[in-house]
Structure formats: C-alpha cells, structure tokens
C-alpha cells in the first residue's frame, strides 16, 4: 500500500493538517486566524504565529479523527518550510519535526507554492509527463513548468511587484471596500462592463516581452486605477464602481491568461493547472478556461477548497515526493521565507 | 526519565532520571536557530538516555517570541505523540532555583529585560519586562542581563540548565501544585503592522 502522509501547512494565517494516501485525500482540517487580522487591514505576523501554536494540536487531532487514523498509521510527515512568514513557518516546522522524532518517520520539508499546483493531483490525478501551472494568490503569482511527471520544476516567470490577489485587495481599498477587498472587487466586477475603461496590460509590449516574457506586474495597473478614480473625483463625477472593478479585473485576467497560454504553446505543454486562492477569481477562471479550450489545452482548476492555503496541498506534495523516492529532509532543516520555486523539497 | 526542553534563550535539552541524575544534556547558544537545532538535539538526548520519557517539562519563557514557540510546540507535540504529560515551568524559575535571594534578569531585546525576584529559590515577584534601570534589585542579580547591561546590573551572568526546570517542577508538584500551564509567557502584545495576504 502507498504511504500515509501527514501534511502540515503554516506559512501564513492558516494552520492546516491533512492526510493523503497516494492521491487520495483522507482528511483536511484548517484553522484560521484570519478574523483576528481583519481589523489591522493585513496579516500581523506575530498574531498569526501565536495562533498557530494554539491551533496545531487541535487541528492535528481533528484531522486524524476525520481520517479514522492514529499517529501510528502515519508513514511520513510533510511540512511547508517556505516560502512564507518566518514566525508562522517556524511553528509548523517545529511541530512536524517533533512528530518525525516521536514517530521515527521521515520528514519532508516541501515548497508551499509548488503545493498549490500539486494539490490538483488529489482532484484530477497524477500530472502527465509535462504540466504548466499558474499559481495565483494574495502572496504569489508564478508560472511553473513541471517536467519528469513533476519531479523537476522550473519557474518561468513571476510577478515583479504585487501578487494578483494583492492588487485586488489594494484596488478594493482604493474603492473603500472592506478588507480583504479582493472578493468584493470580484463580486462587483461581475456587474460591470469589462470594456468600459482601457486599463494598461503591463509587460506585454514587444520590448518588455523580450526580457519579461512570462513575468507579470500589477502595481502600475493599480496606480492607473488610482489615477483614473482621482481624475473622476477631481471632476466631481461619480465613480462607476462596478465598471472600474470589471475593467481592472479584465486587465488582470487578460495578462495572466494570455501569458500562461502562450507559455503552454511555446513549451509544448497541453495540461494546465491553475492553483492558489486567486483562482477563485471569476474573470480569470472564465477567461483561462475559454482561451485554454480554444488552444486545445486540458485546463485543470481544482475546486476552491483546494485552492486556499491548507494541509491537503502539503500532504499531496509530500505524498508525491515520498512515492517518487525523493530523499527525506534532514532533521536540522531550516525554514526559508523566500524558498526558491525550483526547490520542491528542502 | 523526564525530558526537559527550553528555548527561551539558548536552545537546551536534558534527560533527567527519577533520582535527579542528569543522564544527558546539551545546550547551544544560537538565538536564531531554535527551529533547526532543537529536534535533532531531542533525538540525541532521548537516544543517549536509552528510554522514552515518562513526562516532558518545558520552559514557558518569558522570551522573545519565535524561539520560545519552538520549544512549546515541540514539547506539546512530542507529549501528544508519545502519550505523556507535558508541564510548563517559567524559564526564569530554573535560574532562580539555584540562587537563594536574587533577581533573575534575561534578554528581552529592544533595550529591555525580563526579570523575576526569588527568595529561597522561589519566585516572589514577576515575571515582568522592563528597562534595565527600572528593575527593582534588593539583593543579588543573575542571568544574561548582567553581561548585556553592566551599567544596571552587578552579578553573575548565569544561564539556564534545562534540567533545573525538572527540579522546579518536582519541587512544586511535591508541594501540591497541580497546574503547569503551557501558556507562553510573552509579556508583550504583538507589534501591529499588517503584511499582504498570501
Ligand atoms: Zn499560498
């Protein structure tokens, strides 16, 4: 039988524990300190770290109960050792090591962002030989090429400034929407006209494409939105909030999907995975599905509960590396807040 | 055998036999490497002691935040996995135990110290966090604060031996104290500046 892998996620404000055997998810439990941060308008690292310490054992117990398993059944422990907030990563990593020591089982320190893509194996099965993945969230915007059935990962591009979800939150703030603003912008965008305002598409001009073919940039777009709103306000005009949201969201989805689909064609890849919390964004989902289909791609977007930060993504990646015989991490492995996306394991 | 851990300052661990003999002990003064070093240290100590612990005693600080949590989550998780009780002891008590009448001062960073006052090895005031010159010192002073703030403190820069936390726990539980909470002694509220959501 394939090994039972326990996965621990603690890179930001979610404490997640999940159990995976092969590509089958047996349990996935998440505790979040999100509500404690809302009044500060952003994640407070120390508040998140304190919450991880409180939440870890209850989350572990709940996950084991749900899977009908005990710790003695666990064959390997996987934990996200980066990228993320140092204080948060430290709690989960220390807990994972304690389990590995107590159980005498191997430890796999794995990459959180790569987990956002590999979690799709729990839904749509193992990756083919070559797979493209776009990972988009409030913290990440990366285009990853998986080769050798996922054993080798190359980061083709990433955002040079804000992540896509972060840009949404900032535009939400510009429009006076509650924190986090992203989901509100997405909701309002569905009521507006995406063609109303021609916001810029960064890094798509020929001179930028030469150097940043698969990179993204959203801070200029956010500034363009701010300028456009200011100009209307100065003129004493009302702000068409839904049209601003729709046009902004369209600019983001257009660039993300265009570059991703071009990357698939240029690398001869026919399977595309979209992961990360921002894959909930409706314009992005619709546009990437439509353009992907037109380009003959198999577009895999896992259900939303797999896209936010959770233990399932870490257990899925842990299970993948354990199955493929990757060497376990050393017990003195450290956390890495800016872990390279070419490192699947630590 | 009782396993003792502390990450309030240095990273230290010890295995203590029922008669108080220290079977194995290690300490590293590596203030930013708690997450790396503690687990292998525990593994070596348990191996050297040759048996699984019957209980775990862990220092609950006070301490700057990130390192302290490494010891607490490690102790709680080991205890859960092994099915043994985990007892929290104020880390300063392990130093105060060895000094009849003294104020223990340790590094709280940001130009402050954690401190507690001891009489007959028992805590009578604190723990608290203050600027060095604001700490009341009716008697002697011990702890890392002495070497950090020689202007304020004259005494001995003694460090905690994890095994002494077991001695504190044994003494206090023999006197009928039943509650050794694992609550971290942060003594400060979190700094509030938000970061973007990943
Ligand atoms: Zn994430």
């Amino acid at each position: 039988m394939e090994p039972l892998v326990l996965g621990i996620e603690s890179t930001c404000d979610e404490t997640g524990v999940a159990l995976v055997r092969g590509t089958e998810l047996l349990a996935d439990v998440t505790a979040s300190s999100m509500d404690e941060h809302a009044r500060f308008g952003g994640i407070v690292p120390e508040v998140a770290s304190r919450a991880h310490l409180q939440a870890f054992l209850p989350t572990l117990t709940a996950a084991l109960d749900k899977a009908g398993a005990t710790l003695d059944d666990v064959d390997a422990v996987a934990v996200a050792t980066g990228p993320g907030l140092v204080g948060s990563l430290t709690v989960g990593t220390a807990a994972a090591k304690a389990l590995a020591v107590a159980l005498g089982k191997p430890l796999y320190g794995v990459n959180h962002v790569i987990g956002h893509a590999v979690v799709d194996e729990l839904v749509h099965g193992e990756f083919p030989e070559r797979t493209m993945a776009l990972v988009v969230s409030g913290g990440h915007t990366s285009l990853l090429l998986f080769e050798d059935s996922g054993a080798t990962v190359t980061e083709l591009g990433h955002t040079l400034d804000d992540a896509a979800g972060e840009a949404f939150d900032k535009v939400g703030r510009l429009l006076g929407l509650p924190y986090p603003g992203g989901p509100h912008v997405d909701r309002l965008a569905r009521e507006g006209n995406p063609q109303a305002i021609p916001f810029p598409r960064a890094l798509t001009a020929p001179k930028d494409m030469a150097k940043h073919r698969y990179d993204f940039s959203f801070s200029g777009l956010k500034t363009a939105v701010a300028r456009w709103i200011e100009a209307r306000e100065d003129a004493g005009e009302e702000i068409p909030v839904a049209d601003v949201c729709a046009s902004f969201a369209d600019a983001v989805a257009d660039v993300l999907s265009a570059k991703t689909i071009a990357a698939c064609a240029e690398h001869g890849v026919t399977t595309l995975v979209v992961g990360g919390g921002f894959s909930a964004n409706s314009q992005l989902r619709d546009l990437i599905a439509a353009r992907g289909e037109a380009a003959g791609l198999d577009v895999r977007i896992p259900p939303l509960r797999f896209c936010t930060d959770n233990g399932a993504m870490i257990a899925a990646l842990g299970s993948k590396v354990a199955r493929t015989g990757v060497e376990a991490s050393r017990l003195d492995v450290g956390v890495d807040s800016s872990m390279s996306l070419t490192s699947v394991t630590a | 055998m009782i396993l003792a851990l502390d990450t309030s300052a240095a990273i230290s661990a010890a295995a203590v036999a029922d008669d108080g003999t220290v079977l194995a002990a290690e300490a590293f003064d590596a203030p930013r490497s708690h997450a790396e070093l503690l687990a292998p240290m525990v593994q070596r100590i348990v191996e050297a002691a040759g048996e699984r612990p019957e209980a775990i005693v862990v220092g609950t600080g006070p301490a700057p935040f990130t390192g302290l949590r490494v010891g607490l989550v490690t102790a709680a998780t080991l205890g859960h996995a092994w099915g043994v009780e985990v007892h929290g002891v104020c880390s300063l008590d392990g130093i105060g135990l060895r000094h009849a009448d003294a104020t223990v001062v340790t590094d709280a960073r940001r130009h402050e110290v954690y401190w507690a006052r001891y009489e007959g090895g028992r805590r009578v005031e604190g723990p608290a966090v203050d600027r060095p010159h604001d700490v009341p010192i009716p008697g002697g002073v011990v702890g890392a604060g002495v070497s950090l703030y020689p202007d304020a403190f004259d005494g001995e820069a003694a460090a905690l031996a994890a095994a002494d936390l077991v001695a504190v726990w044994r003494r206090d539980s023999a006197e009928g104290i039943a509650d050794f909470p694992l609550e971290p002694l942060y003594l400060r509220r979190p700094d509030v500046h938000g970061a973007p959501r990943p």
Side-chain angles (χ1 to χ4, degrees):
Chain A
M1 198 157 45
E2 285 171 309
L4 179 65
V5 178
L6 183 138
I8 299 170
E9 155 62 24
S10 78
T11 59
C12 186
D13 62 333
E14 259 99 26
T15 313
V17 178
L19 288 140
V20 165
R21 193 188 291 281
T23 56
E24 188 193 351
L25 179 65
L26 304 176
D28 180 29
V29 178
T30 309
S32 176
S33 60
M34 174 68 188
D35 294 345
E36 297 174 52
H37 305 282
R39 66 198 171 99
F40 303 120
I43 303 294
V44 182
E46 177 60 21
V47 170
S49 303
R50 290 184 181 194
H52 283 300
L53 177 62
Q54 300 303 322
F56 177 68
L57 280 185
T59 308
L60 171 69
T61 307
L64 287 165
D65 284 354
K66 210 166 175 186
T70 69
L71 280 176
D72 291 331
D73 301 324
V74 171
D75 297 306
V77 179
V79 62
T81 53
L85 302 170
V86 171
S88 290
L89 289 165
T90 298
V91 177
T93 301
K97 289 180 177 188
L99 284 178
V101 167
L103 305 174
K105 294 291 160 62
L107 172 79
Y108 293 96
V110 301
N111 190 307
H112 170 89
V113 176
I114 293 172
H116 269 306
V118 171
V119 72
D120 181 69
E121 291 198 338
L122 303 179
V123 182
H124 298 108
E126 291 195 52
F127 283 4
E129 176 65 23
R130 289 157 67 75
T131 303
M132 192 68 70
L134 174 67
V135 175
V136 272
S137 73
H140 340 286
T141 303
S142 288
L143 193 54
L144 305 173
L145 174 62
F146 288 73
E147 293 173 286
D148 311 324
S149 304
T152 312
V153 179
T154 311
E155 188 184 30
L156 298 180
H158 56 250
T159 180
L160 303 181
D161 38 63
D162 295 348
E166 190 181 356
F168 263 65
D169 286 345
K170 286 179 175 175
V171 165
R173 197 177 308 163
L174 286 175
L175 293 167
L177 302 171
Y179 169 87
H184 297 285
V185 174
D186 185 22
R187 179 176 47 77
L188 289 162
R190 277 175 245 160
E191 297 158 18
N193 173 10
Q195 266 78 55
I197 309 156
F199 286 130
R201 268 69 171 156
L203 305 182
T204 54
K207 66 171 170 43
D208 293 325
M209 285 295 274
K211 201 174 163 213
H212 294 292
R213 189 166 198 83
Y214 303 124
D215 289 328
F216 307 98
S217 166
F218 298 110
S219 86
L221 171 60
K222 177 207 68 193
T223 308
V225 174
R227 295 253 163 79
W228 194 90
I229 293 172
E230 269 168 35
R232 289 301 166 290
E233 281 172 346
D234 290 349
E237 291 171 30
E238 202 160 312
I239 307 297
V241 173
D243 284 350
V244 171
C245 290
S247 300
F248 160 74
D250 186 61
V252 172
D254 181 24
V255 176
L256 285 172
S257 57
K259 289 203 175 202
T260 301
I261 287 174
C264 291
E266 286 156 19
H267 289 82
V269 178
T270 55
T271 303
L272 169 63
V273 171
V274 185
F278 189 74
S279 64
N281 178 263
S282 41
Q283 277 89 345
L284 178 65
R285 275 182 112 91
D286 293 351
L287 202 52
I288 217 158
R291 287 178 173 176
E293 199 185 330
L297 299 178
D298 175 17
V299 180
R300 299 173 165 200
I301 309 180
L304 189 57
R305 69 186 176 99
F306 290 98
C307 293
T308 50
D309 290 354
N310 55 49
M313 56 193 268
I314 306 306
L317 180 52
S319 176
K320 187 177 185 69
V321 298
R323 284 199 311 275
T324 50
V326 172
E327 212 180 311
S329 302
R330 290 164 49 114
L331 215 44
D332 63 358
V333 64
V335 305
D336 184 353
S337 60
S338 54
M339 188 171 186
S340 156
L341 295 194
T342 55
S343 306
V344 180
T345 56
Chain B
M1 182 273 271
I2 309 294
L3 176 67
L5 310 178
D6 187 87
T7 54
S8 63
I11 307 147
S12 58
V16 185
D18 292 344
D19 65 359
T21 313
V22 178
L23 302 171
E26 281 189 39
F28 286 124
D29 193 5
R32 301 209 175 264
S33 303
H34 295 91
E36 286 89 334
L37 301 179
L38 182 64
M41 186 189 279
V42 165
Q43 193 178 46
R44 286 191 298 270
I45 290 211
V46 171
E47 254 171 44
E51 57 184 295
R52 187 181 280 196
E54 298 144 45
I56 301 170
V57 176
V58 61
T60 56
F65 312 137
T66 300
L68 177 64
R69 280 187 286 265
V70 171
L72 289 170
V73 78
T74 300
T77 306
L78 288 170
H80 180 77
W82 279 330
V84 302
E85 286 191 2
V86 185
H87 310 287
V89 170
C90 170
S91 303
L92 303 181
D93 291 2
I95 304 173
L97 174 77
R98 299 273 167 215
H99 299 272
D101 295 288
T103 301
V104 174
V105 288
T106 62
D107 187 11
R109 306 210 186 118
R110 302 185 206 168
H111 311 290
E112 291 185 321
V113 289
Y114 299 115
W115 66 273
R117 201 160 61 76
Y118 293 82
E119 285 176 12
R122 283 156 213 279
R123 179 154 37 95
V124 293
E125 199 180 352
V129 61
D130 281 296
R131 291 187 165 270
H133 287 283
D134 296 335
V135 177
I137 34 173
V141 187
V142 289
V146 170
S147 48
L148 288 168
Y149 303 102
D151 293 355
F153 306 121
D154 184 13
E156 181 198 339
L160 171 70
D164 284 342
L165 295 175
V166 176
V168 172
W169 168 66
R170 283 222 169 95
R171 178 196 69 192
D172 290 355
S173 50
E175 290 172 3
I177 294 174
D179 191 23
F180 295 90
L182 291 180
E183 284 305 307
L185 297 166
Y186 293 127
L187 305 191
R188 282 191 189 124
R189 296 158 72 80
D191 275 348
V192 171
H193 41 78
R197 262 188 74 71

